[in-house]
Amino acid sequence: MGNLDIITIVLIAANVMISYKGFNDFSFFEKYKFNIGAIRRGEQIRMFSSGFLHADTAHLFFNMFALYLFSDLVIFDIGKFNFFVVYLGSLIAGNLLSLYFHKDEYHYSAVGASGAVTGILYSAILLRPERDYYFLFLPSRIGDVDLGIPGFVLGIAYLLYSIYGMKKRIGNIGHDAHFGGAVGGYLITLILMPSLLQTNLLMVGLLAIPIVVLFVLQKMGKI
């Protein structure tokens, strides 16, 4: 991987500085985290600011590492400004979906760049759906068998797992923010590059399957 683009460096630096401020200043953390009650009272800044706060250093590291892995690919395909639009749009989309699903849970709180980063990940997959991805610390091949997972398979599987996580409330994880971020990344990328509807319509359709599944389940009252 080449040198990080300046926009990625700025985003990582902003996340690190604001998160560390939150680690050491409880009142700052409480003032800017995602909280349903506060947002419904009119503190909409939390919809944005919460995406730059993290629960701990491990949470911060994994989000920034994922951003590092996928940012250059998206920047290369759609440019710096559009990358930034996808990042911020996905952040807001993730928090909007969280707000929708938890609107009556006034004490519900969350922090993290996961929605924004998942949007970048899903944008990368939409742009290069047939690119293979490999798990860290695992071999890329066993004998003649390539262990790479095509991007579109990874994307669909991840969002289906997010739906399952939302339904079962698995772990202390904002599955709805992840899902909303991915939807944001998907839709914004299509708006910015409508040519994908002509050049790779099949993959665009396949990657929309989990979004349709969530919509149907929500309409049926299953989530």
Side-chain angles (χ1 to χ4, degrees):
M1 178 168 289
N3 295 327
L4 280 179
D5 194 278
I6 185 63
I7 187 63
T8 307
I9 294 172
V10 168
L11 286 172
I12 291 175
N15 273 278
V16 169
M17 289 188 291
I18 295 171
S19 291
Y20 269 87
K21 171 68 174 173
F23 294 159
N24 297 299
D25 187 338
F26 181 75
S27 62
F28 178 86
F29 185 88
E30 289 294 306
K31 182 178 181 179
Y32 292 110
K33 71 181 182 180
F34 180 92
N35 175 264
I36 296 293
I39 291 169
R40 294 194 63 172
R41 288 193 300 271
E43 298 178 29
Q44 271 76 31
I45 186 63
R46 294 171 181 262
M47 295 286 289
F48 172 77
S49 61
S50 60
F52 291 87
L53 291 168
H54 288 81
D56 51 43
T57 53
H59 186 206
L60 173 63
F61 171 77
F62 284 112
N63 273 337
M64 294 304 97
F65 185 61
L67 180 61
Y68 159 76
L69 290 177
F70 292 98
S71 60
D72 279 359
L73 189 155
V74 177
I75 291 169
F76 181 83
D77 281 356
I78 66 175
K80 297 177 186 180
F81 179 77
N82 287 341
F83 164 82
F84 188 64
V85 170
V86 172
Y87 184 92
L88 290 186
S90 298
L91 189 163
I92 298 300
N95 281 338
L96 282 172
L97 195 66
S98 288
L99 181 63
Y100 175 78
F101 278 108
H102 300 283
K103 58 183 176 293
D104 296 321
E105 302 171 41
Y106 283 78
H107 296 292
Y108 181 86
S109 298
V111 291
S114 300
V117 173
T118 306
I120 294 298
L121 183 153
Y122 217 68
S123 176
I125 290 172
L126 180 60
L127 291 165
R128 308 277 186 93
E130 295 172 351
R131 175 177 176 172
D132 286 339
Y133 291 86
Y134 300 87
F135 289 103
L136 289 175
F137 311 118
L138 292 178
S140 59
R141 302 182 69 88
I142 295 180
D144 294 330
V145 179
D146 189 320
L147 299 182
I149 301 175
F152 73 94
V153 174
L154 178 64
I156 292 169
Y158 180 79
L159 288 198
L160 290 177
Y161 170 74
S162 294
I163 293 173
Y164 179 75
M166 292 162 64
K167 184 175 175 63
K168 299 294 185 180
R169 299 289 183 101
I170 296 174
N172 187 28
I173 299 172
H175 295 286
D176 35 28
H178 293 184
F179 194 99
V183 173
Y186 174 86
L187 293 177
I188 296 168
T189 301
L190 283 179
I191 291 170
L192 295 172
M193 287 196 66
S195 60
L196 291 170
L197 291 167
Q198 295 178 323
T199 60
N200 220 342
L201 182 59
L202 175 61
M203 291 301 176
V204 171
L206 287 174
L207 288 168
I209 289 173
I211 301 171
V212 174
V213 169
L214 179 67
F215 177 78
V216 171
L217 289 176
Q218 193 277 327
K219 285 296 183 182
M220 294 172 61
K222 300 292 186 180
I223 294 182

